[in-house]
């Protein structure tokens, strides 16, 4: 699997998720088997580049290569400027967001709202690709199947993108109107893959090794991108990669591995965000890791009230100390809802 000059160790990638795929999380997912990770969405507006929030999103210190930065916006010149700015900050791949469905993004004609304006899509792609070409930095595109079920235009957008010089395309199998509801469909991804020669990455509802295998086989995609299914389960990347390589399941993490993984993630998270933001932004991660574990409700309620990173970390460590390995319900990531491929 290649994008431009970059070759990846496997074809199991981390989806960019705002507020989730920060540097500590990307590094953790890569250590646990992800072949590639794209940063959180960064604003293209130069006025925001030096804000605390955007500065964190553009912090790649110590991150393994290639560093991929996703940019979002609706102004072609501003998007090109943002691409060059991020290249100068260390980006090796620029990814364009045309898939985010949230209102605050779509209301300013960014994200998946651009799918209603194909001429503007072409202008943005041409502007960014042209800006990145002198640096030999490939540009990728992440998008959805269309604005709604009546206007699926992913195939047209994909052909346009390839002709302009986009190096790879990630396609989420939902329209913007779907948000994250219902089930992702893969027929559009299959049609796009058949029409393109550049790599196509399938995204949407890939939550197990079997589902990844099915989606790759059904669509012919070159890789899969996993998002929400990795929240609190960063080891899913090694599970999927191992299954794709061998057809066999890895054992789930041990009690000790889970404890070490969560506590090390929290310490890295606190170092990155600092005391005030770190203790608050860590709450969701702790919840994702432990929400399904027995007797975790009281802990999760408590950590949502803690005001210091030291107290939060101590509470999580103490909770582990009170439990034995047999209390845990970790199991390999498997899915019972994978359809059979047609003969």
């Amino acid at each position: 699997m290649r994008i431009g000059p970059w070759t990846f160790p496997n074809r199991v990638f981390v989806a960019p998720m705002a507020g989730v795929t920060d540097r500590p999380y990307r590094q953790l997912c890569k250590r646990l088997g992800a072949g590639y990770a794209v940063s959180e969405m960064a604003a293209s507006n130069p006025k925001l580049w030096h804000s605390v929030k955007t500065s964190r999103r553009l912090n790649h210190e110590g991150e393994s290569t290639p560093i991929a930065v996703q940019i979002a916006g609706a102004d072609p010149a501003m998007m090109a400027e943002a691409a060059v700015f991020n290249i100068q900050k260390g980006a090796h791949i620029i990814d364009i967001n045309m898939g985010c469905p949230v209102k605050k993004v779509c209301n300013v004609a960014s994200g998946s709202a651009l799918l209603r304006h194909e001429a503007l899509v072409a202008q943005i792609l041409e502007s960014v690709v042209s800006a990145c070409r002198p640096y030999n930095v490939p540009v990728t595109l992440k998008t959805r199947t269309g604005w709604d079920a009546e206007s699926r235009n992913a195939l047209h957008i994909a052909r346009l993108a390839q002709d302009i010089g986009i190096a790879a395309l990630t396609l989420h199998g939902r329209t913007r109107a779907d948000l994250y509801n219902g089930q992702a469909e893969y027929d559009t991804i299959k049609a796009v893959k058949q029409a393109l020669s550049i790599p196509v990455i399938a995204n949407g509802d890939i939550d197990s090794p079997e589902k990844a295998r099915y989606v790759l086989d059904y669509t012919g995609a070159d890789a899969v991108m996993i998002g929400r299914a990795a929240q609190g389960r960063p080891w899913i990347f090694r599970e999927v990669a191992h299954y794709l390589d061998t057809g066999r399941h890895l054992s789930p993490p041990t009690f000790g591995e889970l404890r070490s993984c969560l506590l090390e993630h929290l310490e890295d998270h606190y170092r990155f965000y600092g005391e005030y933001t770190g203790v608050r932004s860590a709450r969701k991660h702790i919840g994702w890791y432990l929400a399904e574990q027995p007797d975790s409700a009281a802990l999760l309620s408590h950590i949502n009230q803690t005001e210091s990173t030291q107290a939060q970390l101590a509470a999580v460590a103490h909770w582990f100390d009170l439990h034995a390995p047999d209390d845990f319900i970790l199991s390999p990531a498997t899915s019972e809802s994978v359809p059979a491929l047609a003969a």
Side-chain angles (χ1 to χ4, degrees):
M1 174 64 199
R2 294 177 60 89
I3 295 177
W6 299 98
T7 302
F8 304 106
N10 62 49
R11 46 186 179 156
V12 188
F13 299 167
V14 187
M17 294 176 281
V20 180
T21 51
D22 51 29
R23 192 190 71 192
Y25 185 79
R26 294 194 302 272
Q27 291 175 316
L28 174 63
C29 291
K30 288 179 179 179
R31 289 199 300 271
L32 291 175
Y36 176 58
V38 182
S39 77
E40 301 174 83
M41 178 175 61
S44 61
N45 186 343
K47 295 179 180 179
L48 302 175
W49 291 349
H50 301 292
S51 68
V52 172
K53 183 176 181 179
T54 299
S55 294
R56 284 199 187 103
R57 291 186 174 188
L58 303 182
N59 185 325
H60 311 290
E61 294 175 10
E63 189 169 357
S64 60
T65 57
I67 292 167
V69 175
Q70 185 180 80
I71 59 175
D75 181 274
M78 198 176 287
M79 288 285 281
E81 186 180 358
V84 172
F85 174 80
N86 280 284
I87 291 169
Q88 293 170 343
K89 296 279 287 186
H92 302 117
I93 298 173
I94 295 295
D95 185 62
I96 298 175
N97 182 309
M98 290 188 186
C100 182
V102 301
K103 285 185 178 180
K104 68 178 182 180
V105 174
C106 290
N107 285 346
V108 292
S110 296
S112 53
L114 288 166
L115 295 174
R116 295 186 293 179
H117 309 285
E118 294 181 359
L120 181 56
V121 168
Q123 293 172 21
I124 290 172
L125 298 182
E126 289 171 349
S127 183
V128 175
V129 169
S130 296
C132 293
R133 188 173 292 119
Y135 300 92
N136 196 31
V137 168
V139 180
T140 60
L141 173 65
K142 189 173 191 296
T143 189
R144 288 190 168 221
T145 58
W147 177 255
D148 56 29
E150 287 68 46
S151 57
R152 285 195 177 98
N153 58 347
L155 186 56
H156 178 72
I157 295 291
R159 287 177 170 144
L160 182 70
Q162 178 172 269
D163 290 345
I164 288 171
I166 290 296
L169 176 79
T170 299
L171 187 56
H172 185 125
R174 286 183 172 87
T175 66
R176 188 275 169 178
D178 292 330
L179 299 177
Y180 294 99
N181 301 319
Q183 294 183 335
E185 59 93 4
Y186 305 113
D187 289 332
T188 303
I189 301 176
K190 181 178 182 179
V192 166
K193 175 56 189 174
Q194 290 174 343
L196 300 189
S197 59
I198 61 173
V200 173
I201 302 149
N203 178 222
D205 293 351
I206 298 168
D207 58 2
S208 70
E210 292 92 345
K211 189 65 172 287
R213 175 79 274 167
Y214 166 78
V215 171
L216 287 170
D217 288 346
Y218 184 77
T219 65
D222 300 276
V224 291
M225 185 169 275
I226 299 174
R228 290 172 296 158
Q231 294 174 352
R233 292 168 58 199
W235 49 84
I236 191 174
F237 298 100
R238 73 182 184 192
E239 293 180 340
V240 172
H242 181 80
Y243 185 82
L244 294 178
D245 285 343
T246 68
R248 298 189 299 272
H249 285 286
L250 279 179
S251 298
T254 65
F255 175 87
E257 286 176 321
L258 175 63
R259 186 183 193 279
S260 296
C261 180
L262 176 50
L263 295 180
E264 289 174 11
H265 184 185
L266 289 177
E267 290 177 339
D268 196 16
H269 188 90
Y270 299 149
R271 283 192 295 270
F272 185 71
Y273 284 101
E275 183 71 19
Y276 182 84
T277 302
V279 71
R280 288 160 177 78
S281 56
R283 292 167 181 165
K284 60 180 178 289
H285 287 286
I286 299 170
W288 289 329
Y289 276 101
L290 299 179
E292 295 183 2
Q293 300 302 332
D295 303 321
S296 64
L299 168 70
L300 299 181
S301 177
H302 173 66
I303 63 101
N304 285 336
Q305 305 303 317
T306 53
E307 295 292 333
S308 79
T309 57
Q310 184 177 5
Q312 192 177 72
L313 187 69
V316 174
H318 180 65
W319 185 85
F320 275 101
D321 291 341
L322 293 177
H323 288 77
D326 292 343
D327 293 335
F328 279 73
I329 54 173
L330 286 171
S331 59
T334 58
S335 173
E336 298 178 356
S337 60
V338 178
L341 285 172

mmCIF file of all heavy atoms in Angstrom, residues 14 20 35 39 42 68 84 90 102-103 112 114 121 140 162 168 182 186 204 210 237 249 253 255 277 296 300-301:
data_model
loop_
_atom_site.group_PDB
_atom_site.id
_atom_site.type_symbol
_atom_site.label_atom_id
_atom_site.label_comp_id
_atom_site.label_asym_id
_atom_site.label_seq_id
_atom_site.Cartn_x
_atom_site.Cartn_y
_atom_site.Cartn_z
ATOM 1 N N VAL A 14 -5.897 4.567 10.721
ATOM 2 C CA VAL A 14 -6.676 5.301 11.723
ATOM 3 C C VAL A 14 -7.398 6.459 11.050
ATOM 4 O O VAL A 14 -6.769 7.289 10.388
ATOM 5 C CB VAL A 14 -5.765 5.863 12.835
ATOM 6 C CG1 VAL A 14 -6.611 6.471 13.948
ATOM 7 C CG2 VAL A 14 -4.837 4.790 13.385
ATOM 8 N N VAL A 20 -10.229 13.437 19.060
ATOM 9 C CA VAL A 20 -9.833 12.068 19.401
ATOM 10 C C VAL A 20 -8.423 11.748 18.905
ATOM 11 O O VAL A 20 -7.549 11.361 19.680
ATOM 12 C CB VAL A 20 -10.833 11.032 18.830
ATOM 13 C CG1 VAL A 20 -10.397 9.612 19.209
ATOM 14 C CG2 VAL A 20 -12.237 11.312 19.323
ATOM 15 N N GLY A 35 -1.216 0.999 10.470
ATOM 16 C CA GLY A 35 -0.215 1.249 9.453
ATOM 17 C C GLY A 35 -0.068 2.707 9.084
ATOM 18 O O GLY A 35 0.938 3.100 8.484
ATOM 19 N N SER A 39 -4.048 13.160 11.078
ATOM 20 C CA SER A 39 -4.319 14.054 12.204
ATOM 21 C C SER A 39 -5.777 14.475 12.254
ATOM 22 O O SER A 39 -6.541 14.307 11.303
ATOM 23 C CB SER A 39 -3.446 15.306 12.094
ATOM 24 O OG SER A 39 -3.973 16.189 11.102
ATOM 25 N N ALA A 42 -7.603 20.211 10.772
ATOM 26 C CA ALA A 42 -7.039 21.518 11.112
ATOM 27 C C ALA A 42 -7.684 22.593 10.247
ATOM 28 O O ALA A 42 -7.893 22.392 9.047
ATOM 29 C CB ALA A 42 -5.525 21.508 10.906
ATOM 30 N N ALA A 68 0.730 12.931 8.456
ATOM 31 C CA ALA A 68 -0.373 13.318 7.575
ATOM 32 C C ALA A 68 -1.272 14.302 8.296
ATOM 33 O O ALA A 68 -1.707 14.035 9.425
ATOM 34 C CB ALA A 68 -1.172 12.101 7.141
ATOM 35 N N VAL A 84 0.596 24.492 2.474
ATOM 36 C CA VAL A 84 2.007 24.872 2.511
ATOM 37 C C VAL A 84 2.457 25.142 3.946
ATOM 38 O O VAL A 84 3.552 24.727 4.365
ATOM 39 C CB VAL A 84 2.264 26.096 1.616
ATOM 40 C CG1 VAL A 84 3.691 26.618 1.808
ATOM 41 C CG2 VAL A 84 2.013 25.743 0.158
ATOM 42 N N GLY A 90 6.075 20.293 8.928
ATOM 43 C CA GLY A 90 6.503 18.898 8.976
ATOM 44 C C GLY A 90 5.601 17.885 8.317
ATOM 45 O O GLY A 90 5.896 16.681 8.342
ATOM 46 N N VAL A 102 -20.732 17.347 10.475
ATOM 47 C CA VAL A 102 -21.287 18.122 11.583
ATOM 48 C C VAL A 102 -21.718 19.506 11.114
ATOM 49 O O VAL A 102 -21.153 20.078 10.181
ATOM 50 C CB VAL A 102 -20.284 18.231 12.755
ATOM 51 C CG1 VAL A 102 -19.898 16.856 13.263
ATOM 52 C CG2 VAL A 102 -19.048 19.012 12.349
ATOM 53 N N LYS A 103 -22.717 20.055 11.788
ATOM 54 C CA LYS A 103 -23.350 21.304 11.343
ATOM 55 C C LYS A 103 -22.376 22.471 11.294
ATOM 56 O O LYS A 103 -22.397 23.267 10.349
ATOM 57 C CB LYS A 103 -24.532 21.638 12.253
ATOM 58 C CG LYS A 103 -25.765 20.788 12.019
ATOM 59 C CD LYS A 103 -26.922 21.268 12.873
ATOM 60 C CE LYS A 103 -28.173 20.435 12.608
ATOM 61 N NZ LYS A 103 -29.319 20.889 13.441
ATOM 62 N N SER A 112 -18.440 17.850 4.200
ATOM 63 C CA SER A 112 -19.276 17.197 3.191
ATOM 64 C C SER A 112 -20.226 18.160 2.496
ATOM 65 O O SER A 112 -20.809 17.811 1.463
ATOM 66 C CB SER A 112 -20.058 16.038 3.818
ATOM 67 O OG SER A 112 -20.768 16.459 4.957
ATOM 68 N N LEU A 114 -19.362 20.523 0.753
ATOM 69 C CA LEU A 114 -18.746 20.806 -0.546
ATOM 70 C C LEU A 114 -19.257 19.880 -1.640
ATOM 71 O O LEU A 114 -19.159 20.220 -2.831
ATOM 72 C CB LEU A 114 -17.226 20.687 -0.435
ATOM 73 C CG LEU A 114 -16.531 21.820 0.342
ATOM 74 C CD1 LEU A 114 -15.100 21.440 0.675
ATOM 75 C CD2 LEU A 114 -16.565 23.108 -0.468
ATOM 76 N N VAL A 121 -15.350 22.180 -5.547
ATOM 77 C CA VAL A 121 -14.500 21.023 -5.230
ATOM 78 C C VAL A 121 -13.294 20.996 -6.162
ATOM 79 O O VAL A 121 -12.143 20.839 -5.722
ATOM 80 C CB VAL A 121 -15.295 19.710 -5.335
ATOM 81 C CG1 VAL A 121 -14.359 18.498 -5.300
ATOM 82 C CG2 VAL A 121 -16.311 19.605 -4.208
ATOM 83 N N THR A 140 -4.267 13.807 -0.529
ATOM 84 C CA THR A 140 -5.322 12.808 -0.515
ATOM 85 C C THR A 140 -6.652 13.486 -0.202
ATOM 86 O O THR A 140 -6.692 14.639 0.251
ATOM 87 C CB THR A 140 -5.027 11.707 0.517
ATOM 88 O OG1 THR A 140 -4.925 12.295 1.825
ATOM 89 C CG2 THR A 140 -3.716 11.004 0.184
ATOM 90 N N GLN A 162 -8.998 12.206 -9.191
ATOM 91 C CA GLN A 162 -7.882 11.491 -9.813
ATOM 92 C C GLN A 162 -7.306 12.290 -10.980
ATOM 93 O O GLN A 162 -6.077 12.383 -11.129
ATOM 94 C CB GLN A 162 -8.354 10.119 -10.289
ATOM 95 C CG GLN A 162 -7.259 9.332 -10.996
ATOM 96 C CD GLN A 162 -7.676 7.905 -11.296
ATOM 97 O OE1 GLN A 162 -7.460 6.999 -10.510
ATOM 98 N NE2 GLN A 162 -8.298 7.698 -12.460
ATOM 99 N N ALA A 168 -4.662 9.550 -3.406
ATOM 100 C CA ALA A 168 -5.448 8.457 -2.824
ATOM 101 C C ALA A 168 -6.762 9.035 -2.332
ATOM 102 O O ALA A 168 -6.851 10.225 -1.984
ATOM 103 C CB ALA A 168 -4.699 7.781 -1.685
ATOM 104 N N GLY A 182 -27.771 4.471 10.783
ATOM 105 C CA GLY A 182 -27.943 3.352 9.876
ATOM 106 C C GLY A 182 -26.637 2.609 9.644
ATOM 107 O O GLY A 182 -25.709 2.663 10.460
ATOM 108 N N TYR A 186 -21.452 -0.246 0.870
ATOM 109 C CA TYR A 186 -20.146 -0.429 0.241
ATOM 110 C C TYR A 186 -20.221 -0.536 -1.280
ATOM 111 O O TYR A 186 -19.189 -0.624 -1.936
ATOM 112 C CB TYR A 186 -19.460 -1.660 0.833
ATOM 113 C CG TYR A 186 -19.352 -1.588 2.341
ATOM 114 C CD1 TYR A 186 -20.061 -2.462 3.162
ATOM 115 C CD2 TYR A 186 -18.582 -0.603 2.955
ATOM 116 C CE1 TYR A 186 -19.980 -2.380 4.532
ATOM 117 C CE2 TYR A 186 -18.498 -0.506 4.332
ATOM 118 C CZ TYR A 186 -19.198 -1.404 5.125
ATOM 119 O OH TYR A 186 -19.130 -1.310 6.491
ATOM 120 N N GLY A 204 -16.095 3.225 7.257
ATOM 121 C CA GLY A 204 -17.493 3.158 7.671
ATOM 122 C C GLY A 204 -17.880 1.816 8.252
ATOM 123 O O GLY A 204 -17.902 0.812 7.528
ATOM 124 N N GLU A 210 -13.194 -9.598 10.803
ATOM 125 C CA GLU A 210 -14.033 -10.180 9.751
ATOM 126 C C GLU A 210 -14.669 -9.107 8.877
ATOM 127 O O GLU A 210 -14.780 -9.274 7.656
ATOM 128 C CB GLU A 210 -15.137 -11.053 10.378
ATOM 129 C CG GLU A 210 -14.639 -12.317 11.039
ATOM 130 C CD GLU A 210 -14.347 -12.116 12.519
ATOM 131 O OE1 GLU A 210 -14.249 -10.941 12.962
ATOM 132 O OE2 GLU A 210 -14.226 -13.117 13.223
ATOM 133 N N PHE A 237 -6.303 -2.423 15.787
ATOM 134 C CA PHE A 237 -5.486 -2.353 14.574
ATOM 135 C C PHE A 237 -4.585 -3.582 14.435
ATOM 136 O O PHE A 237 -4.464 -4.145 13.352
ATOM 137 C CB PHE A 237 -4.674 -1.055 14.573
ATOM 138 C CG PHE A 237 -5.543 0.162 14.558
ATOM 139 C CD1 PHE A 237 -5.795 0.880 15.722
ATOM 140 C CD2 PHE A 237 -6.159 0.575 13.387
ATOM 141 C CE1 PHE A 237 -6.625 1.984 15.717
ATOM 142 C CE2 PHE A 237 -6.989 1.677 13.363
ATOM 143 C CZ PHE A 237 -7.233 2.377 14.537
ATOM 144 N N HIS A 249 -7.267 -15.228 14.618
ATOM 145 C CA HIS A 249 -7.476 -14.162 15.599
ATOM 146 C C HIS A 249 -6.331 -14.095 16.591
ATOM 147 O O HIS A 249 -5.830 -15.121 17.044
ATOM 148 C CB HIS A 249 -8.768 -14.393 16.382
ATOM 149 C CG HIS A 249 -10.004 -14.080 15.602
ATOM 150 N ND1 HIS A 249 -10.409 -12.786 15.325
ATOM 151 C CD2 HIS A 249 -10.937 -14.883 15.037
ATOM 152 C CE1 HIS A 249 -11.533 -12.808 14.629
ATOM 153 N NE2 HIS A 249 -11.871 -14.068 14.440
ATOM 154 N N PRO A 253 -6.236 -8.386 24.594
ATOM 155 C CA PRO A 253 -5.258 -7.904 25.572
ATOM 156 C C PRO A 253 -5.476 -8.555 26.935
ATOM 157 O O PRO A 253 -6.609 -8.840 27.331
ATOM 158 C CB PRO A 253 -5.526 -6.399 25.641
ATOM 159 C CG PRO A 253 -6.229 -6.075 24.380
ATOM 160 C CD PRO A 253 -7.021 -7.285 24.017
ATOM 161 N N PHE A 255 -5.269 -8.566 31.151
ATOM 162 C CA PHE A 255 -5.593 -7.594 32.195
ATOM 163 C C PHE A 255 -4.447 -6.607 32.378
ATOM 164 O O PHE A 255 -4.638 -5.394 32.436
ATOM 165 C CB PHE A 255 -5.877 -8.345 33.498
ATOM 166 C CG PHE A 255 -6.105 -7.478 34.699
ATOM 167 C CD1 PHE A 255 -7.361 -6.983 34.991
ATOM 168 C CD2 PHE A 255 -5.065 -7.186 35.578
ATOM 169 C CE1 PHE A 255 -7.578 -6.204 36.105
ATOM 170 C CE2 PHE A 255 -5.270 -6.397 36.695
ATOM 171 C CZ PHE A 255 -6.530 -5.913 36.968
ATOM 172 N N THR A 277 -6.719 21.164 30.776
ATOM 173 C CA THR A 277 -7.362 20.507 29.632
ATOM 174 C C THR A 277 -7.187 19.001 29.691
ATOM 175 O O THR A 277 -8.088 18.243 29.324
ATOM 176 C CB THR A 277 -6.786 21.058 28.312
ATOM 177 O OG1 THR A 277 -6.986 22.471 28.270
ATOM 178 C CG2 THR A 277 -7.458 20.417 27.109
ATOM 179 N N SER A 296 -17.822 -0.466 36.689
ATOM 180 C CA SER A 296 -17.073 0.723 36.284
ATOM 181 C C SER A 296 -17.890 2.014 36.445
ATOM 182 O O SER A 296 -17.331 3.106 36.366
ATOM 183 C CB SER A 296 -16.616 0.595 34.834
ATOM 184 O OG SER A 296 -17.733 0.552 33.950
ATOM 185 N N LEU A 300 -16.393 5.851 36.712
ATOM 186 C CA LEU A 300 -16.589 6.838 35.649
ATOM 187 C C LEU A 300 -17.286 8.083 36.174
ATOM 188 O O LEU A 300 -16.980 9.201 35.751
ATOM 189 C CB LEU A 300 -17.373 6.209 34.493
ATOM 190 C CG LEU A 300 -16.690 5.016 33.821
ATOM 191 C CD1 LEU A 300 -17.535 4.492 32.675
ATOM 192 C CD2 LEU A 300 -15.301 5.384 33.329
ATOM 193 N N SER A 301 -18.202 7.916 37.094
ATOM 194 C CA SER A 301 -18.845 9.070 37.707
ATOM 195 C C SER A 301 -17.828 9.886 38.502
ATOM 196 O O SER A 301 -17.826 11.121 38.454
ATOM 197 C CB SER A 301 -19.978 8.607 38.623
ATOM 198 O OG SER A 301 -20.564 9.707 39.279
#
